[in-house]
Amino acid sequence: MPLSIYKSSTSLYERSAPPGHIHLGVVKEIIPTLIAFGIDPAPLVWKVGLDLHIFEDDSNVIPHATLGRLLTLCVAQTNCPHFGLLVGQRANIHSLGLIGRLMRHCATVGDALRALAENLVIQNRGAVPSFSVQDGTALFTFSVYQPAVESIDHITDGAIALTVNALRTLSGARWNPSDVLLPRRPPRDLTPYYNHFRVPIRFNQETASISLPERDLAQPIEGADPIIHAVLLERIHGARMSLNSNIPDDIRRLLRIRFADKDCSANGVAKILALHRRTLARRLTDSGLSYRTISNEVRFEIARQLLEDTKMSLGEISAALGYSEASVFSRAFRRWAGCSPGAWRAANRAMDKPLSEMLQF
């Protein structure tokens, strides 16, 4: 029985996605990518509980977990280790809907990147972007935070490929980032990555990121209209106002990008959410969760992804999760998984799974 689909009644999906869901603006590129391989997409779409017709309307949304499962099946069916990259290559700034239009009418490239990082939440409630500038370098990062999502490596490949396409729309087709970082092992054939990004790619990283010189942020965007920008900002504000408040989801989003070098205490997160610590605890109790439960859940999700998809050492993963020592991380992981991080990595390396296992339902 196909999953029920939340559908926006306004153009360019101005109504925000529910927690755990993603708009189909970018996701719909999965269909032509499969067709280019000579594969009928309908059976794969049906296997994850969807109907092919939903891809005809960008305003539809699907669960983020369903996207991950669909990508897993697509990779297995095509035997293409860079399938997510191909999906992202087909997408462009218009695939971002209202946010893409806002970016197009920002005054500078820096303003556009900030608009993307601040507003992607209205159409993607399974991943979180961040944007920072330090020591002359700007960094745009994309991280999946929704629990139990498959094919995170392909989701992030696609997201970074799309972001580069959007920046080339704003900066010129010859623009290139300084570096591209991806949280996955390098595939045997690096050519598709070099052909798209046209710069060195650093694999086995903690997160998916694009770095660029700070000076690039000041570049004016040709054809940007401040009046249209103001109108789009108002519409996006309306979409953000329609966001369904979900404290556990808000905490997961914050923690996913804060473990390594920021205050991840309950008090710190409560301050960011403009809540008293006791109010935060009460709302979590009402949802049947505790702050420690969510914090451990997010850490476990990140740890599993980095163990499965990268060759990062236990010390590097420990630091990424905010632990002082690898031994502390190992003890915590054993509590969560019932086995050591090394045993988990050996049993769950995605690239070693046979095709027959990937296709099981």
Side-chain angles (χ1 to χ4, degrees), residues 124-205:
N124 188 337
R125 301 286 293 276
V128 56
S130 63
F131 177 67
S132 61
V133 181
Q134 186 174 6
D135 299 328
T137 298
L139 191 69
F140 179 87
T141 296
F142 179 91
S143 304
V144 174
Y145 72 89
Q146 190 66 25
V149 175
E150 300 178 29
S151 291
I152 289 177
D153 50 348
H154 290 274
I155 293 173
T156 53
D157 279 2
I160 295 300
L162 162 62
T163 304
V164 168
N165 282 346
L167 286 170
R168 285 177 177 151
T169 297
L170 303 176
S171 304
R174 299 180 65 180
W175 178 88
N176 294 323
S178 300
D179 283 299
V180 171
L181 290 70
L182 295 175
R184 59 170 296 164
R185 296 181 186 87
R188 289 193 180 98
D189 184 7
L190 299 179
T191 305
Y193 290 86
Y194 286 125
N195 285 346
H196 183 68
F197 295 120
R198 306 197 298 249
V199 294
I201 299 103
R202 294 161 57 189
F203 293 92
N204 294 307
Q205 300 299 308

Side-chain angles (χ1 to χ4, degrees), residues 26-39:
V26 178
V27 178
K28 69 177 185 179
E29 301 300 335
I30 290 175
I31 304 305
T33 305
L34 283 171
I35 292 173
F37 277 95
I39 295 172

Side-chain angles (χ1 to χ4, degrees), residues 300 303-304 307 329-345 347-348:
F300 187 30
R304 288 190 296 184
L307 287 168
F329 161 62
S330 295
R331 288 196 296 272
F333 191 91
R334 190 178 290 274
R335 289 197 304 271
W336 303 330
C339 64
S340 69
W344 179 277
R345 170 170 271 170
N348 292 277

Side-chain angles (χ1 to χ4, degrees), residues 23-324:
H23 277 285
L24 289 176
V26 178
V27 178
K28 69 177 185 179
E29 301 300 335
I30 290 175
I31 304 305
T33 305
L34 283 171
I35 292 173
F37 277 95
I39 295 172
D40 180 3
L44 294 181
V45 169
W46 181 83
K47 284 177 181 178
V48 297
L50 300 176
D51 187 289
L52 193 60
H53 292 298
I54 72 164
F55 290 89
E56 298 171 0
D57 187 344
D58 289 357
S59 68
N60 288 331
V61 303
I62 63 172
H64 217 264
T66 300
L67 167 61
R69 182 59 177 155
L70 177 57
L71 284 171
T72 297
L73 296 177
C74 291
V75 173
Q77 189 70 37
T78 61
N79 196 30
C80 178
H82 56 274
F83 187 86
L85 176 71
L86 296 179
V87 172
Q89 282 179 325
R90 287 180 174 272
N92 56 50
I93 198 167
H94 302 294
S95 303
L96 293 167
L98 198 60
I99 297 171
R101 288 187 63 191
L102 178 69
M103 293 173 68
R104 182 65 187 80
H105 290 283
C106 286
T108 66
V109 170
D111 292 338
L113 272 176
R114 292 183 186 91
L116 176 60
E118 292 171 2
N119 296 299
L120 188 64
V121 63
I122 68 174
Q123 65 185 67
N124 188 337
R125 301 286 293 276
V128 56
S130 63
F131 177 67
S132 61
V133 181
Q134 186 174 6
D135 299 328
T137 298
L139 191 69
F140 179 87
T141 296
F142 179 91
S143 304
V144 174
Y145 72 89
Q146 190 66 25
V149 175
E150 300 178 29
S151 291
I152 289 177
D153 50 348
H154 290 274
I155 293 173
T156 53
D157 279 2
I160 295 300
L162 162 62
T163 304
V164 168
N165 282 346
L167 286 170
R168 285 177 177 151
T169 297
L170 303 176
S171 304
R174 299 180 65 180
W175 178 88
N176 294 323
S178 300
D179 283 299
V180 171
L181 290 70
L182 295 175
R184 59 170 296 164
R185 296 181 186 87
R188 289 193 180 98
D189 184 7
L190 299 179
T191 305
Y193 290 86
Y194 286 125
N195 285 346
H196 183 68
F197 295 120
R198 306 197 298 249
V199 294
I201 299 103
R202 294 161 57 189
F203 293 92
N204 294 307
Q205 300 299 308
E206 175 190 342
T207 57
S209 303
I210 299 167
S211 70
L212 59 153
E214 183 179 7
R215 63 178 178 274
D216 287 5
L217 303 179
Q219 179 175 332
I221 296 176
E222 185 177 351
D225 187 321
I227 296 177
I228 295 177
H229 180 266
V231 172
L232 292 170
L233 264 184
E234 184 176 352
R235 291 168 67 179
I236 285 178
H237 175 72
R240 291 183 67 94
M241 292 295 290
S242 73
L243 284 172
N244 297 325
S245 178
N246 186 293
I247 291 297
D249 187 71
D250 292 340
I251 292 174
R252 290 186 185 101
R253 285 176 54 82
L254 286 171
L255 291 181
R256 183 60 183 88
I257 57 176
R258 293 180 66 84
F259 276 132
D261 56 4
K262 297 180 181 178
D263 182 6
C264 292
S265 67
N267 286 334
V269 169
K271 185 177 180 179
I272 294 172
L273 296 176
L275 295 173
H276 191 280
R277 175 67 181 88
R278 288 194 295 270
T279 302
L280 178 66
R282 183 173 63 253
R283 292 192 181 181
L284 285 172
T285 300
D286 292 342
S287 68
L289 296 169
S290 69
Y291 184 82
R292 175 172 293 184
T293 297
I294 295 175
S295 178
N296 286 337
E297 173 196 272
V298 175
R299 278 193 166 99
F300 187 30
E301 289 293 334
I302 298 172
R304 288 190 296 184
Q305 185 260 315
L306 296 179
L307 287 168
E308 292 177 23
D309 295 341
T310 77
K311 292 183 179 179
M312 289 176 65
S313 69
L314 295 188
E316 290 171 328
I317 296 175
S318 172
L321 296 175
Y323 288 102
S324 57

